[in-house]
Amino acid sequence: MTKRQQRMAAIGALVVGLGLAATLGFTAIRKNMMYFYTPSDVAAQAPSADATIRLGGLVVAGSVRRGEGLRVAFTVADCESEVPVHYEGILPDLFREGQGIVATGRVGTDGVFTAQEVLAKHDEEYMPPELAEKLTDENGKHSCAEFKRVVQS
């Protein structure tokens, strides 16, 4: 082989190697990517049954039902739509009706979200931007008073 042919072979091998590395990297990123959905997003177009997503919203008052062991069923809403959620595990200390949560899991073909993890927000002011936009009125205040926890004095 001449020097020119050796250089061309080396450049070809480099291009093939970079293409393979990019393909493997993008595949790994795509498999590990989780999208954030609100109940309205799920109602409008449910993600595929094999897609792991994050579902965020407020726990509807009166919807928490405890089952055997660590099984819990509740409903998450965003003022427009509701999604039933099933979870088996220990809930966070801050979990309660009217509280904002983000749950990781999958939507079944029956429309029930099966959560693998449930996180409760710890700050009254913070919530994901997509959810905050759905829950605020024209004055910038939360418009879903029926989902908020009522504090008795």
Side-chain angles (χ1 to χ4, degrees):
M1 275 181 120
T2 65
K3 282 204 178 267
R4 182 175 181 182
Q5 289 174 334
Q6 289 176 347
R7 274 186 261 146
M8 292 303 281
I11 290 172
L14 182 66
V15 168
V16 168
L18 287 174
L20 181 63
T23 301
L24 291 174
F26 287 129
T27 301
I29 288 171
R30 189 175 334 122
K31 285 183 180 179
N32 291 322
M33 197 177 316
M34 274 191 275
Y35 294 102
F36 179 84
Y37 286 79
T38 63
S40 294
D41 296 335
V42 172
Q45 182 178 359
S48 64
D50 63 336
T52 301
I53 65 166
R54 287 191 175 117
L55 174 69
L58 298 175
V59 179
V60 176
S63 70
V64 178
R65 296 174 312 281
R66 301 205 182 263
E68 267 186 49
L70 298 175
R71 292 185 184 159
V72 180
F74 55 92
T75 304
V76 174
D78 68 355
C79 296
E80 295 175 15
S81 298
E82 296 181 346
V83 174
V85 178
H86 291 168
Y87 177 66
E88 185 167 350
I90 299 172
L91 290 168
D93 291 338
L94 295 175
F95 179 89
R96 62 183 164 269
E97 296 172 351
Q99 183 72 32
I101 65 149
V102 175
T104 303
R106 297 172 188 222
V107 178
T109 55
D110 57 356
V112 175
F113 184 82
T114 303
Q116 300 161 345
E117 179 183 32
V118 175
L119 304 171
K121 70 175 190 165
H122 65 279
D123 181 42
E124 288 299 319
E125 298 303 314
Y126 175 76
M127 67 176 58
E130 298 90 348
L131 183 59
E133 182 179 311
K134 297 241 185 216
L135 296 178
T136 53
D137 61 13
E138 62 276 354
N139 299 326
K141 300 288 184 187
H142 292 297
S143 61
C144 291
E146 66 270 17
F147 295 121
K148 289 292 187 181
R149 184 171 53 95
V150 177
V151 179
Q152 297 179 359
S153 47

